[in-house]
Amino acid sequence: MMKKLVLLVVILLCIFTATTVMTYPRVGQWLFETVASLESSIYGLSTQQQDVGDVSMSYYRGGKQGAPVIVMIHGYTSDRTVWARFAKYFTDDYDVIIPDLAGHGETPYDPSLSYTQQAQAERIAALLDRLGIEKVHLIGNSMGGYISAYFAIAYPERTLSAAMVDPAGVISPTPSEMDKLLAKGENAFEISSFEDFKNFYPMTMAQPPFLPKIVLDAKAEEYMQRRERYARIGNDIHTEPRLTDRLHKLQAPSLLIWGDQDRLIDVSAVAVWTREVPAMKVEVMKGYGHMPMVEAPAESASIYREFLGEL
């Protein structure tokens, strides 16, 4: 199936570039979007739009209508596409929803809006209201993990379970590589050049899936174009108090997954989460970094399915 997909994309790319004048990064972006669209459709996910009050939210939805709902939440500067290969393991038995958070992916950015964890959690609640969904399982990565825990604490009556994958929200006892850079006044997320992105991308994953250079350069270009946007969103994120003092209020069944090679948020943060939520189930994945659901979708999905099966 994947060979056929690649062949189809190559044919489409040849046709497209033969009839369209495009810059080099734009070709890479078109290629990424085309593959992501084809791949998500193969997995039974379709892109939909929903007004949630202050923004029109783009999201994937697929799976079994009427089944328990899983909401998958991406991290800071990411988007819904990072969950597709993980999500395919759940569409036979669950109704899967994967939003682009406000200011990310295809959901618009408006500088007049708030991008705190509270604001993003409220938008997810509004999305569920519009879709007529009362209760959900949540799983989020990085900032999305923070939002999953935040939602579970703020909306306990709507939370069936909360899973956090290398989540933000607490201070790790051992500073990560990212923490050390921030202490020197350097933010790896603030991309001003292709060289900046070249240094940043390996920090996000220990075993990233293959992407052609043309796609990586397109992603670098996107980060550069959105630099001010991401800086504003990042500032809003950091105005929110850390979760540490509220974690004990997390009462829903919970799962913590962490890649032991995470360079953005050190794995030592696991001790903080488990101290505050002793009943939390924990899985540390050896050899993986900050995004194990991308690096090892089958293995991480197996961990999550086992957790859901025990509820």
Side-chain angles (χ1 to χ4, degrees):
M1 176 65 75
M2 191 54 63
K3 288 182 179 179
K4 291 181 179 178
L5 177 61
V6 171
L7 178 59
L8 177 59
V9 170
V10 170
I11 293 171
L12 289 172
L13 181 60
C14 291
I15 295 172
F16 193 78
T17 54
T19 58
T20 309
V21 177
M22 301 178 69
T23 61
Y24 169 78
R26 180 58 190 141
V27 172
Q29 185 62 27
W30 178 87
L31 182 60
F32 177 84
E33 291 170 356
T34 301
V35 171
S37 178
L38 289 170
E39 193 171 9
S40 62
S41 65
I42 289 171
Y43 302 152
L45 302 169
S46 63
T47 297
Q48 302 183 30
Q49 293 267 341
Q50 179 63 55
D51 174 26
V52 296
D54 58 2
V55 72
S56 179
M57 183 175 284
S58 295
Y59 61 98
Y60 282 147
R61 189 171 188 181
K64 189 176 179 181
Q65 294 292 315
V69 177
I70 301 175
V71 176
M72 301 180 180
I73 310 172
H74 66 75
Y76 171 56
T77 75
S78 189
D79 60 41
R80 68 187 189 275
T81 61
V82 298
W83 286 104
R85 293 180 183 178
F86 177 94
K88 72 178 182 179
Y89 295 101
F90 298 92
T91 51
D92 285 345
D93 303 304
Y94 294 90
D95 184 357
V96 177
I97 297 173
I98 315 174
D100 278 339
L101 296 174
H104 295 77
E106 295 180 357
T107 298
Y109 169 73
D110 181 341
S112 70
L113 299 182
S114 171
Y115 296 92
T116 62
Q117 287 81 349
Q118 177 180 345
Q120 300 286 31
E122 288 174 350
R123 292 185 185 105
I124 291 172
L127 174 63
L128 299 178
D129 288 341
R130 301 297 197 279
L131 299 178
I133 297 170
E134 183 179 354
K135 297 183 179 182
V136 296
H137 298 282
L138 297 150
I139 182 168
N141 170 242
S142 194
M143 175 189 73
Y146 190 149
I147 294 169
S148 291
Y150 190 104
F151 186 102
I153 293 168
Y155 304 96
E157 74 286 353
R158 305 192 72 166
T159 306
L160 296 171
S161 70
M164 286 66 65
V165 183
D166 294 64
V170 307
I171 297 175
S172 55
T174 301
S176 67
E177 185 174 337
M178 177 72 175
D179 292 331
K180 293 174 184 177
L181 288 173
L182 288 172
K184 296 191 296 183
E186 301 175 21
N187 187 342
F189 283 91
E190 294 185 1
I191 307 299
S192 300
S193 66
F194 289 101
E195 187 65 23
D196 285 348
F197 187 80
K198 183 180 178 180
N199 294 329
F200 165 72
Y201 186 66
M203 294 179 66
T204 65
M205 289 175 277
Q207 298 188 44
F210 171 76
L211 287 177
K213 183 178 184 300
I214 190 173
V215 172
L216 291 173
D217 285 349
K219 284 297 175 185
E221 181 80 6
E222 180 180 281
Y223 266 81
M224 286 186 275
Q225 291 174 350
R226 296 187 174 195
R227 187 175 188 273
E228 291 186 7
R229 172 197 302 200
Y230 288 152
R232 161 63 201 288
I233 293 173
N235 183 67
D236 278 12
I237 291 169
H238 288 100
T239 62
E240 190 92 38
R242 300 276 183 170
L243 270 176
T244 311
D245 293 338
R246 289 172 287 163
L247 271 182
H248 68 279
K249 297 180 180 179
L250 179 55
Q251 300 300 315
S254 55
L255 169 68
L256 189 66
I257 300 175
W258 218 295
D260 72 338
Q261 300 301 307
D262 193 335
R263 297 166 64 184
L264 297 181
I265 308 176
D266 192 77
V267 67
S268 61
V270 168
V272 180
W273 286 82
T274 55
R275 182 187 70 221
E276 300 299 326
V277 191
M280 177 178 285
K281 182 177 180 180
V282 178
E283 291 285 347
V284 175
M285 297 181 67
K286 302 294 185 181
Y288 298 111
H290 187 64
M291 303 175 71
M293 78 289 185
V294 177
E295 300 172 65
E299 184 178 348
S300 54
S302 177
I303 293 169
Y304 188 46
R305 283 195 69 93
E306 181 179 349
F307 166 74
L308 292 176
E310 293 173 350
L311 299 179

